[in-house]
Amino acid sequence: MRSELHDQRRDKILRAAHAAFLRMGFTRTRVEDVARAARVANATVYTYFDTKERLFEAVVADALSGYEGLFDSVERSAGQDVAKALTAYGHIYFRFMADPIVRGVYRTVSAECAHKPELGMMLYHNAHRLLGGVLQRMLDRFSGLGLLEIADVPVAARMFEGMIEHVTLTISMLQGDQAPPLHPAETYVPEAVRAFLAAHAPAAQPRS
């Protein structure tokens, strides 16, 4: 029962902190604001999170937690169907970058990075851990099998993800966390996959 109460109180603090950080930004948010919103004492917040930075890191991790394992599952089921694997990855990445909770975290960090660059690196490392290099490994494997022709796998992976970020995350930075993507995933992701495959199709083998 005590452990359950501990988890409930921590979740309550995280929800209050998430709302406060998104509304006021990292710098302007005080631990006192979070404690008041969560209806706990300041000391209770510090029991769970010894600094505001640790609290924010926990908010980021919580925001990304709904996607744990999803990218790995694409890699596990990839097989040798390049289009199918990239489409599956693209749909999850699209959903991830169109998620208002994820967008809010990116927006909050972006607003603070000029004077708090460590927040940007923290978000980068959390997102990198979540994605786990799945796309790069798949592209490297497909390239090794001769199914794709890629000169620089990390660059190619970033270009594919960049096509998706442009219509999801970028628009939210200009129009708000709830702004709909510029195009629906059902039509945009297959088109992005087609463009990527056309750019990296293996060269035709010369006839003997």
Side-chain angles (χ1 to χ4, degrees):
M1 183 67 180
R2 183 174 296 176
S3 176
E4 183 179 339
L5 179 61
H6 179 281
D7 291 343
Q8 289 175 352
R9 189 172 291 166
R10 185 180 185 277
D11 289 345
K12 193 176 180 182
I13 292 169
L14 280 178
R15 286 196 301 272
H18 181 269
F21 284 132
L22 264 61
R23 186 176 69 255
M24 297 185 290
F26 178 84
T27 301
R28 290 176 56 206
T29 297
R30 302 174 304 165
V31 170
E32 292 88 338
D33 300 322
V34 175
R36 184 166 55 252
R39 297 185 178 180
V40 299
N42 294 348
T44 302
V45 177
Y46 285 114
T47 298
Y48 294 90
F49 311 100
D50 55 0
T51 65
K52 188 169 73 167
E53 285 78 8
R54 294 281 183 166
L55 175 59
F56 186 71
E57 186 171 2
V59 167
V60 170
D62 187 63
L64 304 186
S65 64
Y67 295 87
E68 290 285 354
L70 292 181
F71 293 99
D72 290 333
S73 69
V74 173
E75 184 178 16
R76 288 196 299 269
S77 60
Q80 295 189 23
D81 189 330
V82 181
K84 182 178 178 181
L86 289 179
T87 300
Y89 184 92
H91 275 291
I92 296 174
Y93 196 72
F94 191 106
R95 190 173 115 203
F96 176 66
M97 286 301 180
D99 188 329
I101 294 175
V102 174
R103 287 167 155 191
V105 168
Y106 272 84
R107 172 179 53 77
T108 303
V109 171
S110 295
E112 303 284 347
C113 65
H115 54 278
K116 210 66 170 157
E118 62 271 23
L119 294 182
M121 290 309 299
M122 179 272 295
L123 175 57
Y124 176 83
H125 288 307
N126 272 273
H128 183 74
R129 178 188 56 78
L130 179 71
L131 301 175
V134 165
L135 182 57
Q136 289 191 32
R137 285 197 300 274
M138 288 198 305
L139 295 182
D140 190 57
R141 185 169 69 85
F142 290 143
S143 184
L145 291 171
L147 301 173
L148 292 173
E149 191 168 288
I150 301 176
D152 191 320
V153 166
V155 169
R158 293 183 187 113
M159 290 180 70
F160 180 74
E161 291 177 340
M163 285 193 285
I164 294 173
E165 290 164 11
H166 180 73
V167 299
T168 52
L169 184 63
T170 301
I171 191 63
S172 73
M173 294 294 184
L174 302 174
Q175 296 190 351
D177 302 339
Q178 299 291 337
L182 290 174
H183 303 282
E186 293 74 18
T187 56
Y188 188 81
V189 171
E191 191 59 35
V193 170
R194 279 193 290 273
F196 186 87
L197 293 179
H200 297 288
Q205 297 294 322
R207 294 182 179 181
S208 55

